[in-house]
Amino acid sequence: MGTGTSVSFRDLAGRQSTADLANVSAGTLAGGSPWRMFRWRRGQAHYSGWYWSATTGAHVVYESRLELARLLLGDFDPRVTVIAAQPFCVSAEVEGVRRRHVPDFLLLGGDGVVTVVNVKPPDQLARPKVAAALAWAGDVFAGKGWRHEVWSGAPPAVLLNVRFLAAYRYPDRVDPATVSWLEEQAVTSARLGDLENAGGPLPADVRAAALHLVWRGVFRVDLTTPLSTATLLERP
């Protein structure tokens, strides 16, 4: 990580603090407000907004559709317990030049793994300035013991399926009794259509509950093929 690497961050009230990165925990950085302030205006080139995260139970900001896609995948990942957007700014003097970097996301895992995510379109990765900035950031985060991920996209089928499943991430939009019934079924694997026709609750309620449980990670499915009644649901 090198000496002199500092981190600036904001608390929930927007108050700014700066400290040595070695002395600040990932939990502290993830628990504040976004470092950058977002503005929306007519005709802007990027698409930004707020996404309601089932992981955090609150809205998380994104600055582009590509960032939204990575945010969806992070929210879908059962290993991720905390998601923070634009969480901090690291800076250091490097060979007489002041470097600064604000990552796109900070993901905390239930297993203690910390992942810093930078989202970049593939065509930007070959640009020397971008590559150098990401390489420096990667060294900084590795020195802290954190994973650094440069993300440029996922297979289209996977993204389409996760976007569809995201409609079922809201726990208050599925029947809780059906969710409990489905969780209690002593099956290690079953087709979605078979569960709908198992003679239990209404098929539409079973489908919604099953897809909600896929989102929660109770069931696992093949995300590389379109979801249908033939989709096999498996217990991890």
Side-chain angles (χ1 to χ4, degrees):
M1 180 163 54
T3 59
T5 303
S6 63
V7 60
S8 299
F9 54 98
R10 303 183 192 278
D11 63 17
L12 288 176
R15 293 183 294 263
Q16 178 179 331
S17 298
T18 299
D20 190 315
L21 179 59
N23 299 327
V24 183
S25 70
T28 296
L29 297 175
S33 303
W35 175 252
R36 285 201 292 253
M37 297 292 100
F38 296 89
R39 294 177 176 85
W40 292 265
R41 60 179 175 79
R42 184 186 299 273
Q44 68 183 20
H46 60 280
Y47 181 92
S48 54
W50 292 90
Y51 166 85
W52 186 86
S53 166
T55 299
T56 66
H59 286 90
V60 180
V61 74
Y62 60 89
E63 288 189 290
S64 68
R65 290 185 183 275
L66 192 61
E67 283 191 16
L68 175 58
R70 184 60 185 88
L71 180 53
L72 275 165
L73 294 178
D75 201 27
F76 179 66
D77 189 341
R79 298 169 297 181
V80 175
T81 57
V82 177
I83 302 172
Q86 315 288 335
F88 55 83
C89 174
V90 288
S91 61
E93 193 85 16
V94 182
E95 298 179 352
V97 177
R98 193 70 185 174
R99 283 193 173 274
R100 300 174 70 256
H101 178 75
V102 180
D104 295 309
F105 297 111
L106 180 63
L107 309 179
L108 308 188
D111 54 3
V113 173
V114 178
T115 304
V116 182
V117 182
N118 278 297
V119 178
K120 293 292 181 186
D123 61 345
Q124 289 193 22
L125 297 180
R127 295 171 55 187
K129 186 175 181 180
V130 173
L134 292 174
W136 174 73
D139 289 342
V140 168
F141 301 137
K144 181 71 170 173
W146 297 345
R147 292 181 63 247
H148 180 224
E149 174 189 311
V150 179
W151 193 84
S152 298
V158 173
L159 287 176
L160 284 172
N161 281 327
V162 174
R163 285 192 183 103
F164 178 77
L165 289 167
Y168 298 90
R169 69 188 186 276
Y170 302 94
D172 58 347
R173 296 187 183 179
V174 292
D175 179 50
T178 305
V179 172
S180 297
W181 173 83
L182 197 52
E183 284 186 287
E184 293 167 0
Q185 297 306 298
V187 295
T188 57
S189 64
R191 303 287 177 186
L192 177 57
D194 293 338
L195 290 174
E196 292 178 10
N197 299 315
L202 293 173
D205 289 342
V206 172
R207 175 174 297 191
L211 296 176
H212 174 71
L213 291 174
V214 170
W215 178 268
R216 282 175 40 194
V218 176
F219 288 120
R220 180 176 54 201
V221 298
D222 179 7
L223 294 173
T224 64
T225 59
L227 300 176
S228 69
T229 55
T231 294
L232 184 67
L233 283 72
E234 298 179 290
R235 298 267 186 180

